[in-house]
Amino acid sequence: MHFDDETTAWKAFENGTRTDEHLFVIPDIHGRADLLEHMLALIARVPGNGRPRTIAFLGDLIDRGPESFRAIQLALDAKKQCDKRIKLPGNHEGMLLDGLDLPLETTAFNHWFDCGGSSMVAELPGHMTASQEEIREQLRQALPAGYLDFLRTAPGHYKSGDLLLLHGGLRPPVGPDPEGERERFLAQPLASAPRVHWACLRREFLLWKGGWDKARREIVVHGHTVMCENGIESGKEAADLADHVSTHARISLDMGTGYLPQLLALEAAGGAYRFHYVRKEEYLP
């Protein structure tokens, strides 16, 4: 299969938004290690600019696609090509954690399995005849050492200058104590996440147009919500779907990699940003 990739032109942030890092942000991979590998190779070819080089993953490395374990390993190995590597978890990592930590009678394992975890189980040898408890133990053994402990204590967000990175979404600052509410919201642990959580928030976050700070300098960079229904033919089309800086003060990077052979990443440096798009030639409905 052939890969195509495209890099868009640089674009200036509005309202003085900036980051002092040379930042690359990669959203939901969902087991498509082939697309992630190509994206990381593309990023490796991008010349340095004197700023510290950071690669950040927004979570949902796993489930749905055929190579969840290799996707995790590629993200771990990415530290070799940057000064800093950030791994943020998504709701699928949260479901996996609950499925492995909570008793089977809670049905947390079944919930994860039905939401895409079945593809990860399919990577295990002998899964067809194994019991659920045996599968859970196989998963614990197959995951990289320390990975589950990392998920239990993982930060839910990362701040890079005026860019706030997280998986799902941020609550609009509309309460009587917006700063305190935001701090408590972002401090929620990944395990047993409630419905209103940074890993899975959608509607109220996506509809908000009031900005995240008074100067509208802060931009939220996220995944989780797929921005397209079909295959995307060009990087410009993908960038147009992702770029909500002017209207909603956010950048939405998820282009449905769990279902479609395409992946979009953000590059930001100083006061400017651009996008990298990777597409694999497969059937696109």
Side-chain angles (χ1 to χ4, degrees):
M1 291 290 182
H2 176 71
F3 289 91
D4 292 316
D5 57 61
E6 184 179 343
T7 297
T8 65
W10 285 102
K11 184 176 181 179
F13 279 116
E14 300 176 2
N15 304 318
T17 299
R18 64 180 296 107
T19 172
D20 292 329
E21 299 177 283
H22 189 182
L23 178 67
F24 299 88
V25 187
I26 300 175
D28 314 47
I29 296 300
H30 283 302
R32 288 303 302 255
D34 53 346
L35 293 169
L36 175 56
E37 186 173 44
H38 194 90
M39 180 64 78
L40 288 171
L42 188 162
I43 290 172
R45 297 194 299 270
V46 175
N49 59 13
R51 294 183 173 91
R53 193 179 184 96
T54 298
I55 298 178
F57 296 89
L58 295 182
D60 281 8
L61 287 166
I62 61 170
D63 298 348
R64 296 181 180 152
E67 295 184 292
S68 289
F69 292 102
R70 192 162 84 90
I72 293 171
Q73 195 58 54
L74 284 169
L76 294 175
D77 291 344
K79 63 184 179 182
K80 299 172 185 176
Q81 67 180 78
C82 59
D83 300 294
K84 185 191 300 183
R85 185 218 44 219
I86 305 298
K87 302 195 313 297
L88 301 178
N91 60 306
H92 280 259
E93 281 87 4
M95 287 188 287
L96 170 64
L97 187 61
D98 287 346
L100 296 183
D101 281 356
L102 297 178
L104 280 174
E105 54 266 28
T106 66
T107 71
F109 180 85
N110 289 334
H111 177 64
W112 167 71
F113 185 91
D114 292 341
C115 289
S118 57
S119 66
M120 196 169 182
V121 171
E123 294 188 58
L124 301 173
H127 69 276
M128 294 291 291
T129 57
S131 68
Q132 284 190 333
E133 193 51 68
E134 289 171 335
I135 289 172
R136 294 210 305 175
E137 185 55 32
Q138 278 188 279
L139 285 165
R140 294 185 189 105
Q141 295 299 319
L143 289 165
Y147 183 72
L148 291 175
D149 287 336
F150 159 75
L151 292 181
R152 294 184 185 104
T153 59
H157 67 285
Y158 176 71
K159 199 80 161 65
S160 178
D162 297 310
L163 304 182
L164 176 68
L165 281 53
L166 46 63
H167 178 71
L170 187 64
R171 294 200 79 173
V174 295
D177 177 22
E179 291 186 8
E181 289 293 330
R182 171 176 170 145
E183 184 176 339
R184 287 186 287 274
F185 178 76
L186 291 174
Q188 293 179 101
L190 179 65
S192 302
R195 184 182 64 84
V196 180
H197 189 274
W198 50 261
C200 49
L201 193 66
R202 279 201 175 102
R203 182 175 174 78
E204 61 181 297
F205 165 66
L206 296 174
L207 293 177
W208 178 250
K209 294 185 177 182
W212 311 103
D213 63 333
K214 291 181 180 179
R216 291 188 67 93
R217 276 195 296 269
E218 186 170 48
I219 303 297
V220 179
V221 183
H222 68 100
H224 185 56
T225 300
V226 178
M227 291 290 107
C228 60
E229 295 182 357
N230 300 300
I232 298 171
E233 295 295 332
S234 71
K236 183 183 184 305
E237 181 185 353
D240 288 344
L241 290 168
D243 193 342
H244 304 272
V245 170
S246 296
T247 56
H248 295 75
R250 61 179 173 84
I251 294 174
S252 308
L253 291 174
D254 189 350
M255 294 295 140
T257 304
Y259 308 102
L260 299 163
Q262 56 197 29
L263 176 62
L264 184 71
L266 171 73
E267 180 184 1
Y273 64 106
R274 63 179 178 175
F275 297 92
H276 301 285
Y277 179 61
V278 168
R279 178 179 181 272
K280 190 175 183 180
E281 287 189 358
E282 297 175 359
Y283 170 71
L284 292 176

